Amino acid sequence: MWFGAGFGLALLGMGASIPFVVPARDQTEVMVITLFFEVTGAMLIWSALTGPGPSRAEPRTSRARTGMWVLGLALAVVGLGLPWIRSTASADGRFLWMSAFAPMTLIGVALVWRAIPDLWKDRVRGVDDDPVQPIRKAPVARLSAGSITRRVLPVGLVILAAALLAAMLIALIATVLIAGLTL
């Protein structure tokens, strides 16, 4: 768990460094790499947070809670601040960088939420005093074994699939012929 979370933090750091290392003229080409690093790093950290059983990261001590708060707030602030620090000529470029750094911000907020004590979370969520009513499902209509629809429906679906395949082949042949004539 800690290895995955540490590797996720390393990927977030590498993604955050890309706009400062790559020349401005090439940044739009490498933005996909930034997004990939950010999403993969956030997913690795999230899997460490929500892993099965004892491998999940639960802050058990106040020191662990404080560390998760600090790390989460730092990631959220850095994820929100990096698009503004990196000077971009247009608002569209800033929006693209914000989209690229959104996973860092989201995982930071998730870390902060994970560090909040359950008592506070219950206050934020509110209490639902209404008892849960059992949901009665409507009966599902089924075709009887001797129904004519039960015999005709598969044949109709096969005919429909064949017609769609024929239409696709005609469109493909027409496209090739038209492209060949214009060349």
Side-chain angles (χ1 to χ4, degrees):
M1 174 203 59
W2 293 110
F3 179 74
F7 192 64
L9 282 173
L11 284 175
L12 288 177
M14 286 175 16
S17 67
I18 286 176
F20 300 100
V21 175
V22 176
R25 69 177 188 280
D26 298 330
Q27 286 186 0
T28 55
E29 284 84 19
V30 297
M31 192 175 295
V32 173
I33 298 170
T34 301
L35 185 62
F36 173 75
F37 281 170
E38 296 294 319
V39 168
T40 306
M43 287 179 7
L44 283 168
I45 294 171
W46 182 253
S47 66
L49 286 176
T50 60
S55 68
R56 81 172 22 153
E58 288 288 338
R60 290 183 172 82
T61 64
S62 63
R63 182 176 176 208
R65 252 183 233 291
T66 305
M68 202 174 273
W69 266 88
V70 169
L71 180 63
L73 285 175
L75 286 175
V77 167
V78 168
L80 286 173
L82 279 175
W84 297 100
I85 293 172
R86 180 66 189 149
S87 62
T88 306
S90 68
D92 293 337
R94 193 172 298 113
F95 171 76
L96 290 173
W97 282 115
M98 284 184 151
S99 299
F101 292 120
M104 182 185 293
T105 304
L106 291 175
I107 201 64
V109 170
L111 284 169
V112 169
W113 180 256
R114 189 63 148 206
I116 294 175
D118 290 333
L119 179 65
W120 293 5
K121 290 179 190 175
D122 291 339
R123 288 183 184 167
V124 170
R125 289 182 190 135
V127 179
D128 188 15
D129 293 336
D130 298 334
V132 177
Q133 300 293 332
I135 299 173
R136 180 183 158 101
K137 294 183 179 180
V140 178
R142 304 208 186 269
L143 297 173
S144 64
S147 171
I148 189 134
T149 308
R150 202 166 201 171
R151 287 177 281 176
V152 172
L153 190 60
V155 173
L157 289 175
V158 169
I159 291 171
L160 180 63
L164 286 173
L165 181 64
M168 287 175 36
L169 286 174
I170 290 170
L172 180 67
I173 291 170
T175 304
V176 168
L177 287 175
I178 290 172
L181 293 176
T182 58
L183 292 177

